[in-house]
Amino acid sequence: MPPQKILQPLLADSQDWDATDNLLIKGDNLDALRLLRQNYFGQVKLIYIDPPYNTQSDAFIYRDDFSARQSEVLEQLGYSADNIDYVKNIYGARTHSGWLSFMYPRLLLAKDLLRDDGVIFISIDDNEQAQLKLLCDEVFGEENFVAQFIWEHRKSGQNDADVSLAHNYKLVYSKDRTILSMNPLATDTSKFSNPDNDPLGPWVADPMDAPNIRENLSYAIKNPETGKMHLPPQGRHWRFSKEKFEEALAQGRIIFGKTGNSKPQYKRYLEEALKKGTNPSTLWTQWGTATEGTKDLMQIFDGLKLFETPKPIRLLREISKLTTDEDSIVLDFFAGSGTTAQAVMELNAEDGGQRRFILVQIPQPIDAKKQKEAHTFVTQTLGKSEATIFEITAERIRRAGAKIKAQHPSVDTGFRVFDLVDDPDGLILQKPLHAATQEDFAALQQTITTPQPNQVPRVLFNLLLAEGLPLSEKIQEIRPLTLYSAGNTLFILQAVDVLVLRQTWEAAQAAGQPLSHISIYAPWVQDDNFLLGVNSWLDTLDLAADRLHLRG
């Protein structure tokens, strides 16, 4: 389905607009993902989302109305008949069906945005974990399941329940499991020691056996001191061939424990471990807690508790370390308090990377009674007329970025803010077609075709989307309200002399920034002779006709 919204740039709410590559989008993430798909298709390395868990404490603030008949809801979302049958068959309770209908189109779009070696982490609890796993198998493919990490988010006991819930899950899928490569984690050096004064330094004893049975790796090992013979434990094999084992034994890397009766183990030296790193465990007990996330946020906001369940920075920083390159795009379309943005900026400060973040947050209203502290902060401290979670997201990025910038001036801590709004030109005629008069159509045409200076920024950034250029692309003004350039594209908003276009084109070529495409905002360009002149000029440049795009 075509996007129902357009982008409105909000320069006043942004930070370092002209210098940043980061984005913060205000609005429903379904609309945002539809728009982002046009120019970030296959470019995102990491997606992290913490969606509503569909518990009684969750309030669905997105526009999806799941009190309606299921078939009506799914049809409104653009589902085919097969899609509708699939979602209906996957759930056990009606509430699951509504939540799945909410998640399904968002995950389909998320998959399109991922790089071939990209990965998505989805935070979830037991309430929807089973349903989400089935849904992700359908969207990403069972073969692209990576792991279900268990995150210990609570260290203290829970005395108000018969079972103390101390964990939730990070469900992880890749775009293509065969080419996904996780970055090794830093080695925990505390486990290494040197009790025998080994000249090669500290070491740790690793098991010599591994899962499953392989005949060529199932042989008897003799303890040279006791003569005792050891076979692999039942259902397992040795990790080395017999030849490699003999070599390791000669090097003194095989040990049998203090009694001599223990099964053989292999010395892994600290120096080797530091070079190789450590593969992540599926059990996360050291990556921060929910309490730590709250403290992180309160530190940013001078002790104020403005958000109920922020994730700890450490968690998002480690996930980013595990999965991203130094120039990756990281997307979070349930941005919440903005932890993902802060984690990306801090990681860039740590390793000198140039990762970029794209965050999407719906302007969820803050209840003046239930969330009094947050409501007062937004309306009084920030002076905003409407108190929404989005304002907290944006302010967190500003404050965290300022602290990082003070210590690391080269880190990009800015962000461009865009609002998802209704197209004003698309909403002018608010009546049924059969009731419209000729005067209505004349007024509509007049409004659409009249250049309006205050709409130029909106027009330009939606042209960026249409041309598949990043929203962080720098737009150069060549002639006010008329000619602009971005990337390899010349944007024409109003008719000019073709000679001016020729001079502009040649100047860009001479400056080492050659142009290869032309994008004309058709509603404001009504001169047929001008369009014919542009086509003739393109013929002289030997450029194909598909290099000229009429937009709008």
Side-chain angles (χ1 to χ4, degrees), residues 12-85:
D13 294 329
S14 303
Q15 185 77 31
D16 300 330
W17 177 276
D18 292 326
T20 186
D21 289 321
N22 301 315
L23 305 177
L24 174 60
I25 299 175
K26 178 182 182 180
D28 189 320
N29 52 25
L30 187 59
D31 293 317
L33 291 169
R34 283 173 173 161
L35 289 169
L36 290 171
R37 187 184 183 279
Q38 297 182 76
N39 56 342
Y40 289 92
F41 187 97
Q43 295 186 39
V44 177
K45 184 65 169 70
L46 166 64
I47 298 176
Y48 173 84
I49 55 173
D50 185 11
Y53 288 0
N54 200 20
T55 61
Q56 291 182 351
S57 61
D58 281 330
F60 264 90
I61 40 79
Y62 293 82
R63 69 168 182 268
D64 308 85
D65 178 11
F66 298 117
S67 62
R69 290 178 54 214
Q70 290 299 309
S71 57
E72 293 176 0
V73 173
L74 297 174
E75 286 170 4
Q76 289 170 8
L77 290 172
Y79 286 39
S80 69
D82 289 342
N83 294 147
I84 293 173
D85 289 341

Side-chain angles (χ1 to χ4, degrees), residues 151-155 166 168 287-297 305 307-313 315:
W151 175 49
E152 185 184 25
H153 66 79
R154 181 198 298 271
K155 297 290 186 182
N168 61 35
W287 287 13
T289 64
T291 299
E292 182 178 318
T294 299
K295 291 179 179 178
D296 288 341
L297 193 62
K305 187 176 180 180
F307 198 83
E308 287 300 318
T309 55
K311 292 296 182 286
I313 300 169
L315 174 68

Side-chain angles (χ1 to χ4, degrees), residues 160-179:
D160 57 352
D162 55 354
V163 175
S164 183
L165 184 61
H167 74 281
N168 61 35
Y169 308 98
K170 309 299 171 196
L171 199 60
V172 184
Y173 281 80
S174 59
K175 182 74 168 286
D176 184 345
R177 187 72 175 91
T178 63
I179 61 173

Side-chain angles (χ1 to χ4, degrees), residues 270-320:
L270 176 59
E271 184 178 359
E272 296 172 331
L274 291 174
K275 290 180 180 178
K276 186 178 180 181
T278 303
N279 291 332
S281 165
T282 55
L283 183 61
W284 294 352
T285 60
Q286 304 297 325
W287 287 13
T289 64
T291 299
E292 182 178 318
T294 299
K295 291 179 179 178
D296 288 341
L297 193 62
M298 291 176 70
Q299 187 175 18
I300 292 290
F301 287 107
D302 303 321
L304 297 176
K305 187 176 180 180
L306 303 181
F307 198 83
E308 287 300 318
T309 55
K311 292 296 182 286
I313 300 169
R314 187 155 45 131
L315 174 68
L316 271 298
R317 196 166 56 228
E318 292 300 322
I319 289 175
S320 298

